[in-house]
Amino acid sequence: MKKNTPPMGRYTLSIFSLLSILSVLAYLSYNCAINTSSLSSSLSTTTTVDIDSDKYPKCPEVERFTPGSYQNQTFKDTLDKIINDESFRNLSVTRMQKAVQIDTSSYDDFPLDVGSNLEVFENFNIFHNYLQNEFPLFHENLKLHKVNHFGLVYIWEGSDPSLQPLLLMAHQDVVPINEDSLDQWEFPPFEGHYDGKYLYGRGTGDCKNLLIGHFEAVEELIKLNFKPTRSIIFSYGFDEEIIGLRNQNGKFIEDIFGKKSLYAVMDEGGVSLMDIGETKMAVVGTGEKGYLDLSISIQKKGGHSSVPQDHTAIGIIGDLIVQIENNKFPTYFTDYNPTFHQYVCLAENSIDIDQSLKKDILKSQFDEISNLNVRNFINKDRLTSYSIKTTQALDVIQGGVKVNALPEFVELKINSRVALEENITIAFKKFLNDTKIIANKFDLGLNVQFPYNEEIITLLPSTENGVLTIKPIKTLEPSPITPINDSKWEIFAGTIRHIYEELAYPDIYDNNDNNNDNEKNQSKIVVTPGLGTGNTDTKLYWNLTDHIYRYRPGVLPSVTANSHGINEYIEFDSHLQIIAFIFQYIQSVDQAND
């Protein structure tokens, strides 16, 4: 069994994917995977798990959290208005429609030099003008800084400069529309069609709903004469969907406040709210996998196709592809990965999870067989497996220029999302070992440029058969992991419970919080840490705080609502829940001690 700590040398430097949803949904089919008995017969067996054992891990459960102002009737009335008032809902719909109608698509070929290409980004000026006109109170009370021309940083200055500021994030840009798919959209992607329940259009789920929710929540607070004690910062990048290379907001904030100067950061991500059998879960992204793009190329003598070599450059790269794809990365199930805590929370709270799986999850950190059982179970499904291992996606291959000429240069590009238990160097060396096997097989030379090193090293001298070269293109280490089991987690997760249980769905949940054991599992939201398999703009803010929460309240996870895809939409209740959450979370953090 792999150790539960990351290997020596590990660096400690949104959309949260469908993985988190499917990883827990898959539990419900576990019984079928291990035997042919039904779930009901499994539950009727004598197999039981004592989850109170001192050896077993515990789900980081929290109580509902409400700010002191929640006792104020005026503030309660405002929350009721946000969630239930039809006039407020209609106004909010109109605001979201206007935001969606401004096409802020970002394209991969956008220039890195923003200042010399302002016209390329002109639609962001239109979006900024919309924000200015639509939210006058926000702009009258907060100071706006434009960073690298189109990045937006607003600072709502608090009365106590000794308190660490809270940073709330979103991004302005959206994924472009494939023109060939326009006829598959039920409603035009930049129309903002609303049918009374759902709002359709690009950016509704990723993530103009979060951005506009910030503005609406703050304006409601200002109307109530709320003045923050702790400064609140709002940061909106404009190229998140194209990796964020132009986003200088984080550096700007760091220059003002310094390293590790923020109370916490909240950005998009997470799994909003879902039912897993009888268990209702909200999954907060407390970590993200690393990112590695690399190139493997071969240079080889060409010639006329009438007298080909036994193995052309393309054929050798084909053999390399088979080698890489057949050599999978190892799996891990460690308490270093937030996925572990997500499974523990389900094991402790689900009333319909298979008992054998439950026992294996809770014993996994001190029993090698149990750990293996859980890893094998998770690894059975393609989408769930990537929460516990490094990925390898062979995405681009280029080579050859003419059908009757042997290729002289062929290049393969690979994307890898690196597990938290590994790092960029470990992942890179796996691909290097695969390449070395092929180099030896075909008597080829091998050159390598290791990550974080500009030097090209010759591992195997070039031969008359050619030479392979492997090098990194882009690297990002796995993110630091946000602490749980502290007051900041209690406030964040507790506010999620408060919004869902007491405001959004008060008729469903028992608000007395004194349920018996059987009712307990069905009458609360289980808030759990989780893993982001993609990367958000939070990677630009690691220097500023150890507490980064990737979560967007709502009814449906964004991937379920076709984010990045055709017919993107939100159930509009989700947007209102975002406003309510931000309204309450700002107040809760404002009353907290650092």
Side-chain angles (χ1 to χ4, degrees):
M1 183 177 70
K2 300 292 181 181
K3 293 183 179 180
N4 292 341
T5 55
M8 293 296 292
R10 186 195 182 283
Y11 287 71
T12 56
L13 254 208
S14 149
I15 297 179
F16 196 94
S17 77
L18 185 60
L19 167 66
S20 296
I21 309 168
L22 295 178
S23 64
V24 286
L25 285 172
Y27 288 121
L28 303 182
S29 63
Y30 178 72
N31 190 60
C32 296
I34 59 173
N35 57 51
T36 58
S37 61
S38 66
L39 180 61
S40 59
S41 65
S42 171
L43 292 175
S44 66
T45 66
T46 57
T47 303
T48 58
V49 178
D50 176 15
I51 64 172
D52 293 326
S53 169
D54 290 339
K55 291 184 178 180
Y56 294 156
K58 303 298 180 185
C59 178
E61 296 192 39
V62 299
E63 300 299 322
R64 299 172 189 151
F65 191 94
T66 57
S69 56
Y70 189 59
Q71 306 306 315
N72 185 307
Q73 189 60 46
T74 304
F75 281 79
K76 278 189 174 183
D77 290 344
T78 298
L79 281 165
D80 182 69
K81 177 184 73 172
I82 291 170
I83 296 292
N84 300 308
D85 183 78
E86 194 67 20
S87 296
F88 183 88
R89 182 187 186 94
N90 291 337
L91 175 60
S92 187
V93 166
T94 301
R95 287 168 162 170
M96 270 297 297
Q97 287 176 315
K98 291 178 181 178
V100 170
Q101 287 162 3
I102 302 170
D103 181 357
T104 53
S105 298
S106 55
Y107 295 85
D108 288 339
D109 60 357
F110 271 7
L112 288 176
D113 182 357
V114 177
S116 300
N117 298 277
L118 297 179
E119 68 284 352
V120 174
F121 302 87
E122 178 57 31
N123 276 10
F124 290 97
N125 278 330
I126 298 172
F127 187 65
H128 297 172
N129 290 336
Y130 154 71
L131 294 175
Q132 187 95 30
N133 294 329
E134 192 68 38
F135 301 103
L137 290 179
F138 191 102
H139 287 85
E140 289 170 12
N141 287 270
L142 281 72
K143 186 173 183 179
L144 169 62
H145 305 268
K146 287 200 172 184
V147 183
N148 198 16
H149 302 280
F150 300 102
L152 302 178
V153 175
Y154 294 91
I155 299 178
W156 198 3
E157 190 172 341
S159 60
D160 187 348
S162 69
L163 295 177
Q164 294 182 314
L166 169 69
L167 173 60
L168 301 176
M169 295 172 54
H171 58 85
Q172 307 168 56
D173 61 318
V174 301
V175 170
I177 303 299
N178 184 340
E179 296 295 327
D180 294 334
S181 70
L182 274 174
D183 60 347
Q184 300 177 51
W185 283 76
E186 186 175 357
F187 306 103
F190 297 106
E191 178 184 284
H193 178 81
Y194 177 62
D195 64 6
K197 183 176 182 179
Y198 300 105
L199 181 69
Y200 297 84
R202 179 61 87 226
T204 53
D206 183 16
C207 69
K208 286 182 177 176
N209 57 339
L210 182 59
L211 188 152
I212 299 302
H214 290 168
F215 281 79
E216 292 181 284
V218 168
E219 290 229 330
E220 292 304 316
L221 286 168
I222 293 171
K223 290 175 186 177
L224 295 174
N225 202 33
F226 173 82
K227 299 183 186 303
T229 306
R230 181 190 305 276
S231 292
I232 314 293
I233 307 169
F234 298 85
S235 178
Y236 307 119
F238 60 99
D239 67 341
E240 194 272 350
E241 301 293 1
I242 47 175
I243 309 181
L245 297 177
R246 302 151 196 81
N247 189 337
Q248 299 174 14
N249 291 9
K251 183 179 183 305
F252 175 82
I253 294 169
E254 185 177 331
D255 287 344
I256 295 176
F257 295 98
K259 294 181 184 296
K260 301 300 180 185
S261 58
L262 301 187
Y263 171 87
V265 168
M266 175 188 173
D267 192 16
E268 64 171 334
V271 178
S272 305
L273 185 64
M274 57 185 175
D275 294 335
I276 313 300
E278 296 293 340
T279 307
K280 300 178 186 298
M281 299 188 74
V283 184
V284 179
T286 54
E288 291 181 337
K289 296 176 80 173
Y291 184 102
L292 168 64
D293 286 336
L294 69 149
S295 162
I296 307 175
S297 61
I298 181 171
Q299 286 182 299
K300 188 172 171 59
K301 289 181 181 179
H304 201 285
S305 294
S306 62
V307 285
Q309 305 121 350
D310 289 341
H311 302 283
T312 69
I314 289 177
I316 292 172
I317 288 294
D319 217 43
L320 175 61
I321 289 171
V322 173
Q323 166 63 32
I324 291 172
E325 291 197 333
N326 286 341
N327 182 23
K328 307 295 185 184
F329 279 90
T331 58
Y332 305 88
F333 190 66
T334 72
D335 56 10
Y336 186 73
N337 187 335
T339 299
F340 166 78
H341 300 285
Q342 183 181 342
Y343 275 73
V344 168
C345 288
L346 190 71
E348 290 187 1
N349 290 279
S350 174
I351 63 174
D352 50 7
I353 188 175
D354 180 87
Q355 292 294 301
S356 296
L357 176 60
K358 181 174 185 174
K359 186 175 182 179
D360 282 336
I361 292 170
L362 297 178
K363 292 174 58 180
S364 63
Q365 300 308 288
F366 56 86
D367 185 285
E368 292 189 7
I369 299 301
S370 291
N371 189 284
L372 178 62
N373 289 342
V374 177
R375 284 187 283 128
N376 287 342
F377 169 71
I378 299 173
N379 201 40
K380 285 179 180 178
D381 186 278
R382 177 176 63 89
L383 293 176
T384 64
S385 67
Y386 294 132
S387 63
I388 61 168
K389 67 181 179 183
T390 296
T391 67
Q392 47 185 25
L394 283 61
D395 293 323
V396 178
I397 187 166
Q398 296 171 322
V401 295
K402 202 171 186 297
V403 73
N404 64 347
L406 298 175
E408 297 176 340
F409 179 83
V410 181
E411 183 179 34
L412 171 68
K413 292 182 179 178
I414 302 171
N415 174 255
S416 178
R417 304 302 173 105
V418 181
L420 299 179
E421 292 82 0
E422 298 179 340
N423 60 35
I424 294 297
T425 300
I426 290 172
F428 183 85
K429 286 182 176 179
K430 183 270 183 193
F431 294 108
L432 174 59
N433 289 335
D434 290 330
T435 307
K436 189 173 183 180
I437 289 171
I438 299 303
N440 287 325
K441 179 178 179 178
F442 293 101
D443 189 25
L444 299 165
L446 177 58
N447 296 328
V448 58
Q449 178 189 342
F450 285 99
Y452 315 114
N453 194 327
E454 297 297 323
E455 182 183 4
I456 302 291
I457 299 172
T458 298
L459 293 186
L460 298 172
S462 180
T463 72
E464 63 178 10
N465 293 326
V467 60
L468 286 162
T469 301
I470 178 172
K471 59 184 179 180
I473 301 172
K474 186 179 188 322
T475 61
L476 177 70
E477 294 291 343
S479 77
I481 305 302
T482 298
I484 53 177
N485 297 317
D486 63 8
S487 62
K488 294 180 181 180
W489 171 259
E490 289 173 0
I491 291 175
F492 191 87
T495 303
I496 291 174
R497 285 196 61 192
H498 162 58
I499 294 300
Y500 286 132
E501 297 176 20
E502 296 183 86
L503 301 177
Y505 308 110
D507 296 336
I508 297 177
Y509 298 99
D510 177 1
N511 289 319
N512 293 321
D513 245 353
N514 48 0
N515 313 298
N516 63 42
D517 289 340
N518 289 331
E519 293 171 336
K520 178 181 178 182
N521 293 311
Q522 303 179 47
S523 55
K524 69 174 181 180
I525 301 294
V526 179
V527 185
T528 169
L531 175 67
T533 56
N535 300 103
T536 64
D537 270 345
T538 57
K539 62 183 177 288
L540 306 171
Y541 299 82
W542 293 350
N543 283 346
L544 290 168
T545 181
D546 295 326
H547 292 77
I548 298 179
Y549 304 111
R550 303 159 184 89
Y551 187 74
R552 179 173 47 234
V555 179
L556 292 172
S558 61
V559 287
T560 306
N562 300 331
S563 288
H564 289 207
I566 297 168
N567 294 322
E568 182 177 345
Y569 72 98
I570 55 167
E571 185 170 341
F572 204 75
D573 284 350
S574 296
H575 183 66
L576 301 178
Q577 290 163 17
I578 287 173
I579 301 170
F581 179 89
I582 299 300
F583 181 88
Q584 289 292 77
Y585 184 56
I586 286 176
Q587 295 176 76
S588 296
V589 168
D590 198 61
Q591 299 167 13
N593 295 320
D594 282 348

